[in-house]
Amino acid sequence: MKESTDTICAVATPAGTGGLGIIRVSGPDVPRIAQTVTGSLPAPRHAALADFRDQSGEIIDSGIVLYFPAPRSFTGEHVLELQGHGGTFVLQQLVQRVLDLGARAARPGEFSERAFLNDKIDLVQAEAIADLIDSGSAAAARAAQRSLQGVFSQQVHTLQEALTALRVFVEAAIDFPDEEIDFLAESDISERVQEAERHVAELLEGARQGRLLRDGIVLAIIGRPNAGKSSLLNALSGEDSAIVTEIPGTTRDVLREQIDIEGIPVHVADTAGIRETTDRVEAEGIRRARLALESADIVLLIRDVSEHPEPEEALSSEVPAGTKTIFVANKSDRLPPQRLRALVEEDGSEQVWISARTGQGVQELRTRIFTAVGAAEQVDGSFSARQRHVEALKRTAQHLAAGRAAMDNQQAGELLAEDLCQAQKALGEITGEVLPDDLLGEIFSSFCIGK
Ligand SMILES: Nc1nc2c(ncn2[C@@H]2O[C@H](COP(=O)(O)OP(=O)(O)O)[C@@H](O)[C@H]2O)c(=O)[nH]1
Ligand SMILES: [Mg+2]
């Protein structure tokens, strides 16, 4: 724990004008600043009406003052909130007054960082605050709230405790080299590590779901020119974002739209149709289409069924191995209804029949995308998580597996002990008990000011 010697100050409400504007101050100088600006030291944790005055005693604004003496505050330090009117100029004057009294402007995320350094919240919770503020759907907001309440951290702690118990056991055994082999070999150590591995796998799955809610997935629509890619983008987004014409080669750049499927943000990329071309602009578009394909989590491979009754083998070889592909049979409205029914009935493949023009089948396609994402039925019950949490859990799993293998195959107790130690470190990075260089700066600098 690090004692802050300086006092920080920032506007906590968004820039621009609004009914209220709130200034937050945190640090050792808060009592003096509060007393000077409002005329007296406010009663702790009581809302009071006060005049906020400048150096010459002139009223800058009147509003509510809130004083939280350390350590019972968000940051764990003395905290002052001045709730005035939300005018840009008024707030600026008030901030300037506080700065003149010795505070300095807060860096992005610095209040949360102090809360973390003073053990008010752990790193997962600090990140959850940012995720809650940035959440783009009700499901994402609920997940962030659950992380903020400690749902994720609690599970990490439970695992930490299990690993500590294992380490104590293994390290005690290797302290007695003569008996080590028998002692460890005869124990159920391997099963116990396996049990921890199962728990990590569960947590990893939860973290993956949480990351999905936060970051979403990238979906690329590819196909021949005129297959209806741009029409499909418009049908999925419900907007007329992409130009649709009967001229092949209309789309020449990658067009991106964000849609929401059951609370998961899906970043859809509409691309230029892939074909041989001598047109330089179109060729560049096709090059970009292939790039979009590289970074996609899911690919929609769409074709015009009135032109190509069979799925496109040639194009599917463009999709990188391991990327999920959903085959989309478009323009089904162009087939006579009876023929369409017959085709769908005898269709043993997984393709989805749609008409981007009439909207037929588009809802089913959304459901298929949702399933392909690997989202649990109830993303709602999950907690929010980030890529770095997923990475740390993966490393934890790898160390446990390696340690167990060393034990099973070579009875190497000291290797298992080392892997358990590394696994625990990886877990500690999630909540911030173990801090690799620069991790803190990296995390908090992406926060907004006043948070
Ligand atoms: N009948 C019918 N026409 C469609 C459908 N989808 C697209 N089209 C038409 O096919 C042409 C090419 O569509 P577009 O979305 O620009 O295809 P892209 O080149 O793959 O982006 C346009 O004239 C669209 O109106 C569909 O489901 N049914
Ligand atoms: Mg197009």
Side-chain angles (χ1 to χ4, degrees):
M1 184 165 141
K2 172 183 99 182
E3 199 67 45
S4 298
T5 51
D6 51 357
T7 299
I8 55 174
C9 163
V11 179
T13 39
T17 56
L20 291 180
I22 301 176
I23 283 173
R24 182 139 77 157
V25 193
S26 177
D29 288 340
V30 155
R32 179 175 58 82
I33 292 173
Q35 175 142 23
T36 316
V37 175
T38 67
S40 63
L41 189 64
R45 285 177 291 281
H46 274 275
L49 185 62
D51 293 331
F52 312 146
R53 292 177 191 271
D54 70 12
Q55 201 176 357
S56 57
E58 193 96 31
I59 295 176
I60 302 171
D61 197 3
S62 309
I64 300 296
V65 58
L66 279 170
Y67 170 49
F68 304 90
R72 291 176 58 195
S73 72
F74 173 66
T75 58
E77 307 172 334
H78 297 311
V79 168
L80 177 71
E81 266 185 31
L82 299 175
Q83 310 188 349
H85 296 97
T88 312
F89 187 68
V90 158
L91 282 171
Q92 234 171 43
Q93 269 191 310
L94 202 51
V95 166
Q96 193 53 53
R97 172 74 166 131
V98 174
L99 295 180
D100 288 343
L101 288 169
R104 71 163 168 80
R107 291 191 304 271
E110 202 171 358
F111 291 93
S112 304
E113 185 174 355
R114 287 188 175 193
F116 165 71
L117 291 172
N118 291 327
D119 285 334
K120 284 284 169 176
I121 49 176
D122 66 26
L123 214 42
V124 165
Q125 291 173 306
E127 290 170 303
I129 296 176
D131 293 345
L132 179 63
I133 292 172
D134 294 336
S135 55
S137 70
R142 274 194 294 272
Q145 193 57 255
R146 289 169 61 89
S147 279
L148 182 53
Q149 299 306 324
V151 173
F152 186 16
S153 310
Q154 189 49 51
Q155 298 198 34
V156 173
H157 285 138
T158 308
L159 240 159
Q160 289 273 35
E161 280 163 21
L163 294 191
T164 305
L166 282 176
R167 279 185 67 187
V168 167
F169 182 73
V170 175
E171 278 165 24
I174 56 186
D175 276 345
F176 300 96
D178 296 341
E179 294 142 56
E180 175 200 339
I181 306 220
D182 292 348
F183 185 40
L184 277 180
E186 281 164 20
S187 73
D188 58 352
I189 189 73
S190 189
E191 283 80 54
R192 287 171 67 188
V193 176
Q194 232 169 343
E195 179 61 35
E197 284 178 72
R198 271 194 292 276
H199 193 168
V200 174
E202 260 169 44
L203 204 51
L204 184 57
E205 193 42 42
R208 279 213 185 95
Q209 302 292 337
R211 194 199 74 95
L212 264 183
L213 277 177
R214 179 184 127 88
D215 300 334
I217 55 144
V218 177
L219 182 94
I221 308 177
I222 66 157
R224 302 270 171 219
N226 258 4
K229 299 177 294 298
S230 299
S231 305
L232 177 56
L233 172 73
N234 293 346
L236 283 171
S237 68
E239 276 171 46
D240 240 352
S241 344
I243 301 174
V244 169
T245 73
E246 65 293 346
I247 309 162
T250 304
T251 309
R252 301 178 145 215
D253 219 330
V254 178
L255 233 95
R256 296 180 194 276
E257 275 288 329
Q258 188 183 319
I259 63 170
D260 178 316
I261 297 186
E262 316 276 340
I264 294 175
V266 179
H267 309 276
V268 189
D270 170 28
T271 64
I274 295 177
R275 65 168 169 183
E276 292 296 323
T277 179
T278 49
D279 183 310
R280 271 177 53 207
V281 181
E282 191 184 355
E284 175 59 20
I286 294 172
R287 193 184 71 82
R288 292 181 186 199
R290 292 198 162 109
L291 277 181
L293 206 48
E294 294 288 317
S295 56
D297 300 301
I298 294 179
V299 167
L300 297 187
L301 208 170
I302 183 172
R303 73 179 202 283
D304 176 347
V305 278
S306 62
E307 300 260 335
H308 301 271
E310 296 297 319
E312 300 253 22
E313 293 301 332
L315 274 189
S316 58
S317 64
E318 298 260 350
V319 181
T323 306
K324 287 207 178 102
T325 308
I326 299 175
F327 290 89
V328 181
N330 187 34
K331 306 199 191 179
S332 56
D333 60 295
R334 279 196 165 177
L335 301 174
Q338 271 180 337
R339 172 145 166 70
L340 175 64
R341 224 171 300 136
L343 277 175
V344 174
E345 262 169 33
E346 66 195 40
D347 184 12
S349 71
E350 297 265 278
Q351 62 186 329
V352 188
W353 295 77
I354 69 158
S355 163
R357 176 166 289 175
T358 66
Q360 177 73 34
V362 172
Q363 185 50 44
E364 189 199 331
L365 180 58
R366 290 172 70 94
T367 309
R368 284 286 293 279
I369 295 169
F370 183 72
T371 318
V373 164
E377 289 285 304
Q378 273 299 340
V379 273
D380 237 19
S382 61
F383 47 79
S384 71
R386 298 180 168 205
Q387 186 59 28
R388 75 167 195 93
H389 305 145
V390 172
E391 300 297 334
L393 284 169
K394 278 189 192 160
R395 269 183 286 127
T396 309
Q398 283 161 3
H399 283 299
L400 291 181
R404 183 162 57 88
M407 192 59 221
D408 287 350
N409 304 331
Q410 313 158 32
Q411 271 77 52
E414 65 289 349
L415 291 185
L416 172 59
E418 176 56 23
D419 270 313
L420 286 175
C421 172
Q422 293 300 329
Q424 226 175 7
K425 264 196 190 142
L427 272 184
E429 280 177 31
I430 298 177
T431 48
E433 284 150 46
V434 176
L435 285 174
D437 289 348
D438 295 340
L439 180 64
L440 271 199
E442 204 176 291
I443 290 173
F444 288 106
S445 62
S446 67
F447 280 39
C448 49
I449 290 183
K451 190 155 68 190

